[in-house]
Amino acid sequence: SFNTLHMMYHEATACHVTGDLVELLSIFLSVLKSTRPYLQRKDVKQALIQWQERIEFAHKLLTLLNSYSPPELRNACIDVLKELVLLSPHDFLHTLVPFLQHNHCTYHHSNIPSVLVAYEGLPLHLALFPKLWTELCQTQSAMSKNCIKLLCEDPVFAEYIKCILMDERTFLNNNIVYTFMTHFLLKVQSQVFSEANCASLISTLITNLINQYQNLQSDFTNRVEISKASAALNGDLRALALLLSVHTPKQLNPALIPTLQELLNKCRTCLQQRNSLQEQEAKERKTK
């Protein structure tokens, strides 16, 4: 009866059998409890030994201990499992503990969803994930250190960092994200890039920076284009700064420094023009 109900509930998701399962486990529990005072009797001991499906039965009970099962079903499963362990500690402890440990380790080492959601949501540039982990990083508590260790061991997290540096560099314009990267890139750099790959990305970034700057219109009349170009340039610059903090190339493109100096001068000019414009607008508002 239990095998049939378990199959219906667990595999066919027929949740209407929950009450039947709880009732059946309650009867089963009372049967198990009734055997405990008579364990020394040969017929009782023999009956338990001949119950070949007892380990499989216990494993099926464990599969019902998840967040989708209602509390009354989980509690009934736990009560029966406790009774099984009391009846035959050696048999059940030696099979159930490795089973539980394996599932626990599998969950923690290959599946941290808070990471997968962040990775899949990267194109949306939501900064909640970086904000949470930056705050945890700054607390320096024992709990936060343990959580950060688990996070850094997750392969999806390394992919998340890599995706920011490769495809979503404008995300780095958000100061929270940039701070987050300064904390975590160093911790997972070996999982993200090999030394050769890091050097190659730095070289590509520098080439992109130089080309982007040279392609900019000198008159800066289109504000939309200015905003788009500046976001891309700033994201690339921040990515470059992060990568140079973990890898030092043997040589850099000689055109980089002059390009950065020209860009800096142009940015200073733009700031001066903006400040002058803001002062003029403030005077006009005051006059009005």
Side-chain angles (χ1 to χ4, degrees):
S1 297
F2 175 77
N3 287 340
T4 304
L5 288 173
H6 179 272
M7 182 183 68
M8 291 174 68
Y9 180 86
H10 194 67
E11 295 178 19
T13 61
C15 297
H16 60 277
V17 301
T18 303
D20 296 324
L21 265 173
V22 172
E23 187 180 353
L24 183 62
L25 289 173
S26 175
I27 296 167
F28 201 84
L29 182 63
S30 63
V31 172
L32 288 175
K33 282 184 174 179
S34 69
T35 62
R36 209 194 299 170
Y38 308 103
L39 285 177
Q40 299 308 314
R41 281 178 50 169
K42 286 185 178 180
D43 55 344
V44 174
K45 192 180 289 185
Q46 192 66 24
L48 286 171
I49 291 170
Q50 288 177 349
W51 182 27
Q52 298 294 328
E53 298 173 342
R54 60 189 185 278
I55 303 301
E56 184 188 347
F57 173 73
H59 281 183
K60 285 183 175 178
L61 287 176
L62 288 173
T63 64
L64 296 172
L65 296 179
N66 57 61
S67 59
Y68 300 101
S69 298
E72 61 270 21
L73 179 57
R74 290 202 303 270
N75 291 336
C77 290
I78 289 169
D79 289 340
V80 174
L81 282 165
K82 283 179 183 176
E83 200 62 35
L84 288 172
V85 172
L86 289 171
L87 281 172
S88 183
H90 183 270
D91 280 356
F92 287 102
L93 288 177
H94 280 269
T95 54
L96 297 189
V97 171
F99 181 83
L100 286 169
Q101 186 184 26
H102 170 74
N103 282 280
H104 179 75
C105 291
T106 301
Y107 173 79
H108 279 291
H109 287 96
S110 66
N111 180 29
I112 302 181
S114 64
V115 181
L116 201 54
V117 171
Y119 177 70
E120 291 178 349
L122 252 181
L124 298 175
H125 287 193
L126 297 176
L128 293 173
F129 181 82
K131 186 175 187 292
L132 169 68
W133 286 100
T134 302
E135 287 174 0
L136 267 178
C137 217
Q138 290 167 346
T139 59
Q140 292 296 311
S141 66
M143 183 205 74
S144 67
K145 286 178 181 176
N146 189 41
C147 289
I148 288 164
K149 182 176 178 291
L150 280 173
L151 177 72
C152 292
E153 288 172 355
D154 185 354
V156 180
F157 182 61
E159 287 299 314
Y160 176 79
I161 298 285
K162 186 176 181 179
C163 187
I164 291 175
L165 293 169
M166 295 286 290
D167 306 315
E168 301 293 342
R169 291 191 288 272
T170 53
F171 195 27
L172 294 169
N173 291 326
N174 186 318
N175 289 333
I176 292 170
V177 179
Y178 184 70
T179 304
F180 162 82
M181 291 290 283
T182 60
H183 284 298
F184 283 96
L185 179 59
L186 196 62
K187 297 179 189 296
V188 295
Q189 57 166 323
S190 59
Q191 301 170 51
V192 177
F193 295 115
S194 66
E195 193 170 314
N197 288 339
C198 190
S200 174
L201 181 57
I202 288 173
S203 177
T204 303
L205 273 174
I206 291 171
T207 304
N208 285 349
L209 275 167
I210 294 167
N211 291 339
Q212 280 185 80
Y213 178 72
Q214 289 174 348
N215 291 336
L216 282 175
Q217 292 183 3
S218 57
D219 56 357
F220 285 100
T221 52
N222 189 330
R223 286 198 174 189
V224 176
E225 289 299 321
I226 293 170
S227 179
K228 191 176 176 182
S230 63
L233 280 169
N234 198 61
D236 283 1
L237 280 167
R238 286 191 161 189
L240 184 60
L242 287 165
L243 289 167
L244 289 174
S245 71
V246 296
H247 177 75
T248 307
K250 292 177 181 177
Q251 60 181 22
L252 292 171
N253 189 321
L256 176 65
I257 301 302
T259 301
L260 291 179
Q261 286 172 340
E262 284 183 35
L263 180 60
L264 186 59
N265 290 332
K266 201 158 267 188
C267 287
R268 284 173 176 156
T269 304
C270 286
L271 278 174
Q272 287 171 359
Q273 289 176 356
R274 188 181 70 177
N275 292 338
S276 300
L277 188 62
Q278 285 174 347
E279 286 174 9
Q280 186 179 342
E281 287 174 351
K283 284 178 183 177
E284 287 176 0
R285 280 197 301 269
K286 193 175 180 182
T287 306
K288 286 179 182 179

